[in-house]
Amino acid sequence: MKPIKAALCEDNTTFRESLAGFIEDTPGFEVIATFSSAESILGKIVADLPDIILMDIDMPVMNGIAATALIKEQFPQVNILILTVYEDDQKIFDAILATLPATC
């Protein structure tokens, strides 16, 4: 069986590397790329499209909500899990909306 290809977008280096290691050690998963910013993932996921992206909400310059909306617009088949430590209801709601298909 083909492994599930995962990409991570998280600005905290320690957390990103720890999460990547955890996923790599999980049978059936393969980390194909890690990114430290939303801008960096946008131009590079086309080369090797992941099955799933773990996306941090709060990053400098472009946040994960905006990046998620752009990715879902171009690649609706990619699943995106939003990561956050925040309890901001509006940010969480906006993140959920960004993961939905444009036709909803």
Side-chain angles (χ1 to χ4, degrees):
M1 182 184 332
K2 225 170 73 168
I4 295 170
K5 299 186 303 183
L8 309 174
C9 190
E10 166 64 56
D11 62 329
N12 181 303
T13 303
T14 303
F15 184 61
R16 183 177 64 248
E17 290 173 357
S18 296
L19 190 55
F22 177 75
I23 293 169
E24 277 291 334
D25 290 343
T26 303
F29 287 87
E30 171 189 10
V31 176
I32 60 168
T34 64
F35 302 94
S36 61
S37 70
E39 303 81 34
S40 62
I41 194 172
L42 293 174
K44 296 181 181 170
I45 65 165
V46 177
D48 194 7
L49 201 60
D51 299 309
I52 189 164
I53 298 171
L54 282 76
M55 177 76 71
D56 183 19
I57 281 184
D58 195 35
M59 292 181 281
V61 186
M62 178 186 288
N63 68 33
I65 297 168
T68 295
L70 290 171
I71 292 167
K72 290 301 281 187
E73 187 177 292
Q74 292 181 352
F75 308 103
Q77 73 277 21
V78 174
N79 295 298
I80 301 177
L81 284 173
I82 302 294
L83 305 174
T84 188
V85 296
Y86 296 101
E87 295 182 16
D88 181 326
D89 291 342
Q90 188 61 53
K91 278 188 178 180
I92 294 169
F93 182 71
D94 291 344
I96 292 168
L97 289 179
T99 64
L100 297 174
T103 57
C104 287

